Amino acid sequence: MQQMISPPRRGTMINPRASVAGIDAANGQCWYEIRALAAGRVEIFLYDVIGGWGITAQQFVSDCKEAGVFEASAVDLHIHSPGGDVMQGFAIFNTLSRLKAKLDIWVDGVAASMASMIVCLPGATVHMPENAWLMVHKPWGGIAGDSDDMRDYAAWLDRNEALMLSAYMNKTGLGQEELEAMLKAETWLNGAEAVEKGFADTLEPELQAAACVNQNKLKDYQNMPEQINNLFGPRAEAPASQPQPAQNPAPQAANNPPAPQPAQQPLAGNIDITALAAQLQQQMQAANTERVSAVSAVFDAFPAFGSLKAECITDISCSAEQARTKLLNALAAGTTPSAGPGAVHIHAGNGNIVGDSIRAAVMNRAGYAQAEKDNAYNGYTLRELARASLVDRGIGISGVGTAQAMVGLAFTHSSSDFGNILMDVAHKAALLGWDEASETFEQWTRKGTLTDFKTAHRVGLESLASLRKVRAGAEYKYVTIKDRGEPIALATYGELFSIDRQTIINDDLDMLTRIPQAMGLAARATVGDLVWAVLTSNPKMSDGKPLFHADHGNLVAADLSIEGLDIARKAMLLQKSGDRRLNIRPAYMLTPVAIESRANQLIKSASVPGADANSGIVNPIQNFVTVASEARLDDSSPTDYYLTAAQGRDTIEVAYLDGIDTPYLEQQQGFTVDGAAFKVRIDAGVAPLDWRGLVKVTKK
């Protein structure tokens, strides 16, 4: 039984699984193999239970680095697996998602449960033989505890299922309801069905699969097709003398579970009983060593309770949580409660008490949230919070010799979400910087969405006359519209910064707030640079003429005066689409800073310059536009200014990938920095759509 990676309350929990890993007697075995080939090509074989034999995804990632997977130009991933540990599978999925190489996935036999999610890696081409199988189902696990523990565990399983659904939907394009029904029913798909549903891309000829996966791992799957038995054989390569019965438990199986299979009658090959006993003993010793370490960590700050510590260590049934309860009772002995019985103060959020409380404390120190007066972590330094993220989860640090090692463990331990908490704070700072950036382009540009990085073409309606009258009983006729496609494409802009262990030990909160905030500000300024560069560079449109050109009727030579502004206003109002006047009215006047005051004076005055007081001469252009100054225009010309139509008209489009118009923060731990590296990026593209909603005025 494994400790659940999610923050436990009480009780003993089993990690949510997508397969039955069980105990395999094989020695010196591994569920993966990595082969570095020539010409920058790497082969990866996931051939058995993910996370089996105590080999974690961390070791898998380490071996990938040594084999040059992350530097390879092409990766072939072969899968023949019944699934395995969900959290290990997520780690593999997230790691391989960052590959820059061309990725081809081959389902050599079975890709069941968690293995089917790895099949859905983004950007991969999935090949599946006709006789291969893919299975999806709901993650499952178990718990021994009270009702609150069970409800928390059920919520944790639901969150895992949601993550798996997201990967399936992104790969297949199927709806959430359909996929939920498939998971609930434990759905098996052969090669042709997988291609039809979108899980695979190409259907390959039948393949004779290698007998690699122990059939015992598939016993708990209720809907497994009988044909799949042909894909598996005994691990010892001995021929199976008798067919195995279908593993579809009858209803009475819940009340009368079958007796365990005797060790003398294995399903496949000969099992070394001595080796199996030794393996079980090693696992028990390892579990007890982990328990002792966790219990010892509870008493690290309380050396006076050495006898109680020894008692808890000696009691093999005493967990870290039980030891903590005994310690608290000992500390409370002889004291009088000040708030009466039952007055318990905790910071409660989503069930992750330690993580939520630490997150609230950091957010408060950064100035992004109000202090929770009942939060036990108020006033903690970053170093102390890193320690709490380990110790308060029952993770022993008695063997960690230095502060640097302790902080590093807080970043990398699977049960600690310290790195994710810091990412939340940094993301908050980046968004704050984005919101605080003094940019005005969003007031008048058009916001668009692109779904990929290919060059798209925006169609402008050149000519649409008035609607024709349709006589009674007559047919409607199609109108002919001339289209003009203006190109627009996305590009990625971003930077890296890191929060290393020295930063945490030094309690340098500015590194966590000011740098991401500055990057958020820079991200918005980058988009602004692209927008204002369109105005000042005057790019060519699809008709081969610059954006501002006399033939477009949007280039005016006039002074900054009532008369000059009126000429520019008329130029926009008189624009045509074919023979039809568009009547586009200016909404904004974009000026260099040098002439901003003069422009406001001319537009906001009730009278014209030079008129006597109370002369009754009205300013004809009073408040016809809103003045917006921009320092970038001064670098191009301190006298040229622009009129633009209101937001939403076809002027300049600012497009974002999938409509995400804020910077995105990604985190990577332990690879390039001794801590966590953060990447701030934004995917944006800017292009002019139509010249008729824009007018440029140059000085005579």
Side-chain angles (χ1 to χ4, degrees):
M1 183 173 297
Q2 297 177 337
Q3 287 292 320
M4 182 177 171
I5 290 182
S6 66
R9 291 169 53 89
R10 301 173 298 276
T12 303
M13 301 183 181
I14 302 173
N15 218 5
R17 310 194 69 79
S19 168
V20 180
I23 303 291
D24 199 301
N27 296 312
Q29 298 292 330
C30 187
W31 47 271
Y32 66 86
E33 183 179 359
I34 305 172
R35 302 173 182 173
L37 306 179
R41 196 173 192 92
V42 177
E43 284 185 334
I44 303 174
F45 294 83
L46 296 184
Y47 263 46
D48 219 313
V49 177
I50 297 171
W53 300 291
I55 303 172
T56 65
Q58 184 176 3
Q59 182 63 47
F60 173 82
V61 173
S62 177
D63 291 345
C64 284
K65 291 178 63 179
E66 292 183 3
V69 172
F70 300 105
E71 293 79 31
S73 58
V75 175
D76 289 332
L77 175 60
H78 296 263
I79 297 178
H80 184 41
S81 170
D85 191 294
V86 168
M87 304 312 298
Q88 303 294 335
F90 281 151
I92 294 172
F93 182 90
N94 294 333
T95 299
L96 297 183
S97 295
R98 295 189 289 267
L99 291 179
K100 298 180 180 179
K102 179 180 181 300
L103 179 60
D104 287 274
I105 299 177
W106 304 81
V107 182
D108 292 343
V110 171
S113 195
M114 201 61 205
S116 69
M117 180 177 167
I118 297 177
V119 169
C120 298
L121 282 167
T125 302
V126 181
H127 311 267
M128 201 164 166
E130 295 177 357
N131 62 334
W133 293 88
L134 182 142
M135 187 275 279
V136 296
H137 74 154
K138 297 168 69 73
W140 65 271
I143 180 174
D146 60 21
S147 59
D148 289 336
D149 297 326
M150 295 179 183
R151 279 187 286 268
D152 290 346
Y153 194 73
W156 179 245
L157 289 175
D158 290 340
R159 289 194 289 271
N160 282 310
E161 182 180 354
L163 294 173
M164 298 174 72
L165 280 171
S166 177
Y168 293 146
M169 287 189 292
N170 291 336
K171 174 61 179 176
T172 65
L174 299 176
Q176 181 173 345
E177 292 184 0
E178 182 178 356
L179 284 168
E180 286 178 343
M182 293 175 65
L183 266 64
K184 187 176 182 179
E186 187 188 299
T187 303
W188 292 81
L189 305 173
N190 59 29
E193 293 169 338
V195 172
E196 181 183 357
K197 290 290 187 180
F199 288 93
D201 301 300
T202 62
L203 185 64
E204 305 292 339
E206 291 190 0
L207 178 69
Q208 185 65 39
C212 189
V213 179
N214 193 325
Q215 197 175 13
N216 288 326
K217 307 299 188 292
L218 297 168
K219 282 185 175 182
D220 280 41
Y221 296 150
Q222 298 185 13
N223 299 329
M224 186 181 71
E226 294 183 1
Q227 306 97 304
I228 206 170
N229 287 324
N230 298 326
L231 293 174
F232 303 101
R235 298 193 62 84
E237 306 292 340
S241 58
Q242 297 180 355
Q244 301 299 322
Q247 302 296 326
N248 294 322
Q252 64 269 23
N255 299 323
N256 300 297
Q261 184 74 16
Q264 294 81 1
Q265 300 176 7
L267 291 177
N270 296 321
I271 295 178
D272 189 344
I273 303 298
T274 303
L276 179 59
Q279 184 179 1
L280 290 172
Q281 185 178 7
Q282 291 176 1
Q283 291 182 349
M284 294 176 63
Q285 290 176 349
N288 188 56
T289 301
E290 184 177 355
R291 183 193 66 83
V292 171
S293 178
V295 170
S296 299
V298 173
F299 293 90
D300 281 350
F302 305 94
F305 294 88
S307 59
L308 180 59
K309 174 183 176 180
E311 178 186 336
C312 294
I313 291 176
T314 305
D315 185 2
I316 195 171
S317 64
C318 182
S319 65
E321 186 66 29
Q322 292 171 332
R324 187 176 291 107
T325 301
K326 292 182 179 181
L327 176 61
L328 292 175
N329 292 335
L331 291 170
T335 63
T336 302
S338 59
V344 179
H345 298 283
I346 62 173
H347 177 82
N350 60 4
N352 182 356
I353 296 176
V354 174
D356 287 346
S357 299
I358 292 176
R359 181 179 286 101
V362 179
M363 286 289 188
N364 171 246
R365 284 197 59 197
Y368 301 148
Q370 295 292 327
E372 300 281 350
K373 61 181 181 180
D374 56 353
N375 190 345
Y377 301 103
N378 285 338
Y380 276 38
T381 65
L382 294 176
R383 177 178 174 179
E384 292 169 338
L385 292 174
R387 177 185 176 90
S389 68
L390 296 170
V391 175
D392 292 356
R393 295 179 182 274
I395 304 168
I397 60 172
S398 57
V400 181
T402 64
Q404 292 243 9
M406 184 271 293
V407 174
L409 183 62
F411 275 115
T412 59
H413 199 283
S414 58
S415 296
S416 171
D417 55 0
F418 187 65
N420 292 330
I421 292 172
L422 297 186
M423 185 177 70
D424 290 344
V425 178
H427 195 200
K428 185 79 171 181
L431 293 179
L432 183 64
W434 173 273
D435 293 335
E436 291 180 347
S438 57
E439 296 289 342
T440 60
F441 65 87
E442 292 179 337
Q443 299 177 17
W444 55 273
T445 56
R446 180 171 183 168
K447 184 182 295 184
T449 298
L450 291 173
T451 58
D452 52 42
F453 290 87
K454 300 177 182 177
T455 300
H457 291 82
R458 297 303 198 216
V459 176
L461 301 181
E462 280 291 334
S463 172
L464 181 60
S466 301
L467 299 182
R468 289 173 289 196
K469 182 178 180 180
V470 181
R471 295 176 295 178
E475 294 182 351
Y476 289 85
K477 296 182 179 181
Y478 288 98
V479 66
T480 300
I481 301 175
K482 298 178 180 179
D483 59 2
R484 185 190 70 255
E486 302 296 342
I488 184 171
L490 295 174
T492 300
Y493 307 88
E495 295 286 350
L496 290 173
F497 73 98
S498 63
I499 303 295
D500 55 20
R501 292 183 289 180
Q502 289 85 349
T503 299
I504 304 302
I505 293 173
N506 296 335
D507 197 34
D508 190 358
L509 198 61
D510 280 353
M511 288 289 296
L512 195 61
T513 56
R514 294 186 62 184
I515 292 181
Q517 184 174 349
M519 286 189 170
L521 190 150
R524 195 165 189 175
T526 299
V527 180
D529 291 340
L530 299 174
V531 173
W532 296 108
V534 171
L535 294 180
T536 58
S537 65
N538 200 18
K540 287 186 177 182
M541 304 294 286
S542 59
D543 61 353
K545 300 175 183 177
L547 170 62
F548 300 104
H549 192 272
D551 292 347
H552 290 161
N554 66 346
L555 183 60
V556 176
D559 295 327
L560 180 58
S561 61
I562 299 291
E563 293 76 14
L565 289 168
D566 191 47
I567 293 172
R569 178 180 67 90
K570 292 176 181 177
M572 185 178 294
L573 284 167
L574 296 176
Q575 287 283 6
K576 290 184 175 181
S577 177
D579 296 329
R580 179 170 169 261
R581 298 286 185 184
L582 296 176
N583 197 31
I584 304 174
R585 296 187 176 275
Y588 291 92
M589 179 181 180
L590 311 177
T591 72
V593 176
I595 62 174
E596 178 186 10
S597 298
R598 175 61 175 168
N600 276 312
Q601 185 180 33
L602 290 173
I603 292 172
K604 295 181 179 181
S605 296
S607 183
V608 298
D612 295 334
N614 301 320
S615 64
I617 300 176
V618 178
N619 184 359
I621 62 168
Q622 183 183 9
N623 296 326
F624 85 108
V625 290
T626 299
V627 178
S629 64
E630 174 53 51
R632 299 178 180 89
L633 296 180
D634 290 78
D635 297 333
S636 176
S637 171
T639 58
D640 294 348
Y641 60 91
Y642 306 82
L643 297 184
T644 178
Q647 184 184 42
R649 299 301 297 258
D650 288 343
T651 53
I652 294 176
E653 178 177 339
V654 181
Y656 300 95
L657 180 63
D658 295 330
I660 303 174
D661 59 349
T662 55
Y664 185 76
L665 196 69
E666 290 181 328
Q667 180 195 63
Q668 187 179 33
Q669 297 180 9
F671 288 99
T672 58
V673 296
D674 215 6
F678 298 88
K679 177 171 63 180
V680 177
R681 78 159 191 259
I682 189 165
D683 303 303
V686 178
L689 296 184
D690 203 312
W691 60 79
R692 290 168 293 192
L694 295 166
V695 174
K696 180 178 181 180
V697 182
T698 61
K699 188 176 178 63
K700 283 185 177 180

